[in-house]
Amino acid sequence: MDKLVSSWYSNVQRVPQDYIFPPEKRPGDLHVPVHEVIPVIDLSEAEQGYRTPTIQKILKAAQEFGFFQVVNHGFSQNLMNESMVVCKELFEGSNEANKKLDSSEDVSKSCRVKTCSLRCSPDKVHLWRDFLLHQCHPLEKWQHTWPQHPTRYQECIGAYSVEVKKLASRILALICEGLGLKCGYFEDEQLSGRMVLSVNNYPPCPEPSLTLGLSKHADSNLITILLQDGVCGLEVLKEDKWIGVEPNPHAFVVNMGCFLQVISNNKLKAAEHRVVTNPNTARTSIAFFIASLEDRIIEPAKELTNELHPPIYKPIKANDFMTQFLAMDADSGAVLRSLLA
Ligand code: OGA
Ligand code: NI
């Protein structure tokens, strides 16, 4: 069977065996009740005299949900739309261009297209997802290694990554202030200078109750800035209940990664999330992971710990965190527990 789900899904009426999750891991009830809503934060207010209330909203959402959406972020809507179009085109048509891309499972490869995620379920079931993963920063180093089809991909996603980096810095600066860390804490290139882009494509699925686009995980990085198209699928776990993240093509979804949970000494939460599929419409998301350089030590910020509030986690190198995360099949909770001081 071809690697890309998008190249064969329309020929099948049933989900192939190796995409079927064991009963206890299946999505369960696909009608997620809207009992709680992921907060939507107007970022422009931070620059219009409402900096403190905006920071409070961000901190509250990051504590309660580990997720929020931002609107009025100053990002060009044209660039967002065009980026979504080129990312969708990556997985459309004959996939001839994709076949030329490196489909190796080697994590050190800069650009690859594969169907079985690293964040695969522990049961080694395949995910109902195709994705392209590549580095983004610094642009001069990586841009030429990206796909050459669609022809606008390199230029458009290049512009998009530069803007997303700025947006992430703005959000991290607000979080920094809210946590009471020293100004510019996250500006450190060692801490936030690695950026990886994952373009996710979830083709329509004939039996959504049997499989997942992405199984339950938290991200093993600092912070993630994600753009969704208009299709539902992303869900966040809060108090053992799944909450759907309302699709909004004008908003960015922001979620805390495990590193922020460690640095904030549990003040912020790296919430677990997953993606469910649907039978009708392909879903695309553009996830931009802000991460740390390999040797950077990740540990609770000194400013947040004292005798009354001792560090909850032991220090760990970013790279060792990643290695453990992969070894523990993306069970972020288990990795964080292994770090308890
Ligand atoms: C991820 C992720 C969510 C989505 O790539 O880590 O959680 O909506 N993606 O694709
Ligand atoms: Ni994720």
Side-chain angles (χ1 to χ4, degrees):
M1 189 169 271
D2 249 337
K3 282 211 137 213
L4 294 169
V5 182
S6 48
S7 64
W8 52 256
Y9 79 90
S10 57
N11 303 327
V12 301
Q13 262 96 56
R14 318 281 326 239
V15 170
Q17 198 58 41
D18 45 355
Y19 288 76
I20 299 183
F21 277 70
E24 69 283 4
K25 302 277 172 59
R26 290 180 196 167
D29 186 1
L30 284 163
H31 299 281
V32 180
V34 200
H35 59 95
E36 280 199 273
V37 177
I38 300 294
V40 179
I41 294 171
D42 182 340
L43 210 56
S44 70
E45 293 186 349
E47 276 108 50
Q48 290 168 358
Y50 299 98
R51 193 170 173 87
T52 307
T54 308
I55 290 175
Q56 283 164 352
K57 282 184 204 163
I58 288 180
L59 266 269
K60 189 164 186 282
Q63 279 157 2
E64 283 180 15
F65 297 87
F67 266 77
F68 54 89
Q69 302 211 54
V70 290
V71 292
N72 295 329
H73 32 63
F75 211 100
S76 145
Q77 187 65 48
N78 273 346
L79 185 54
M80 292 166 78
N81 297 347
E82 213 201 329
S83 300
M84 191 48 87
V85 169
V86 292
C87 287
K88 282 187 176 291
E89 281 173 11
L90 269 178
F91 297 97
E92 275 167 6
S94 67
N95 295 312
E96 276 313 308
N98 284 334
K99 284 192 190 130
K100 294 201 193 85
L101 289 168
D102 182 7
S103 58
S104 144
E105 311 255 317
D106 180 351
V107 235
S108 66
K109 290 275 165 55
S110 61
C111 201
R112 55 212 164 93
V113 172
K114 54 207 241 22
T115 51
C116 178
S117 168
L118 281 172
R119 287 158 290 166
C120 207
S121 65
D123 319 87
K124 304 286 181 253
V125 178
H126 291 290
L127 298 169
W128 197 268
R129 164 181 95 142
D130 299 329
F131 75 109
L132 170 76
L133 191 72
H134 64 63
Q135 302 250 20
C136 293
H137 181 76
L139 198 57
E140 313 76 71
K141 181 169 174 190
W142 299 109
Q143 194 177 26
H144 68 277
T145 67
W146 299 350
Q148 289 170 352
H149 298 275
T151 47
R152 283 148 32 249
Y153 185 86
Q154 291 191 1
E155 189 191 336
C156 181
I157 298 303
Y160 181 88
S161 4
V162 170
E163 290 307 309
V164 168
K165 187 168 194 315
K166 289 188 206 152
L167 177 63
S169 300
R170 271 171 71 202
I171 294 171
L172 283 170
L174 296 169
I175 290 177
C176 176
E177 209 174 313
L179 286 173
L181 296 174
K182 72 171 188 313
C183 184
Y185 185 94
F186 295 110
E187 290 297 298
D188 174 6
E189 274 289 294
Q190 297 278 319
L191 183 58
S192 61
R194 186 178 142 86
M195 296 200 294
V196 178
L197 176 65
S198 176
V199 181
N200 300 303
N201 176 59
Y202 307 93
C205 174
E207 296 172 294
S209 62
L210 300 181
T211 190
L212 283 164
L214 259 181
S215 47
K216 184 175 86 169
H217 70 282
D219 296 348
S220 62
N221 61 333
L222 202 56
I223 196 166
T224 304
I225 312 271
L226 178 132
L227 179 62
Q228 321 187 66
D229 60 8
V231 183
C232 293
L234 176 57
E235 296 177 356
V236 179
L237 193 61
K238 182 169 184 264
E239 286 147 21
D240 282 335
K241 292 207 179 77
W242 290 102
I243 306 172
V245 181
E246 191 77 13
N248 179 349
H250 306 289
F252 287 99
V253 179
V254 181
N255 66 283
M256 313 306 114
C258 294
F259 294 0
L260 258 186
Q261 178 163 334
V262 171
I263 291 168
S264 70
N265 210 30
N266 267 2
K267 285 212 165 62
L268 307 183
K269 175 167 110 174
E272 290 179 309
H273 50 283
R274 69 176 188 183
V275 176
V276 298
T277 62
N278 80 76
N280 307 314
T281 322
R283 174 172 182 274
T284 302
S285 70
I286 309 178
F288 199 91
F289 303 101
I290 310 289
S292 310
L293 303 196
E294 290 183 355
D295 292 331
R296 177 61 150 87
I297 304 277
I298 305 300
E299 61 187 335
K302 302 274 186 288
E303 293 97 317
L304 300 182
T305 57
N306 54 35
E307 271 175 26
L308 280 179
H309 302 98
I312 293 168
Y313 299 105
K314 292 182 279 204
I316 184 167
K317 272 190 188 171
N319 199 37
D320 294 343
F321 192 102
M322 281 304 295
T323 308
Q324 283 207 39
F325 183 78
L326 298 179
M328 293 183 173
D329 288 311
D331 186 343
S332 45
V335 184
L336 289 169
R337 278 192 298 281
S338 76
L339 284 181
L340 288 175

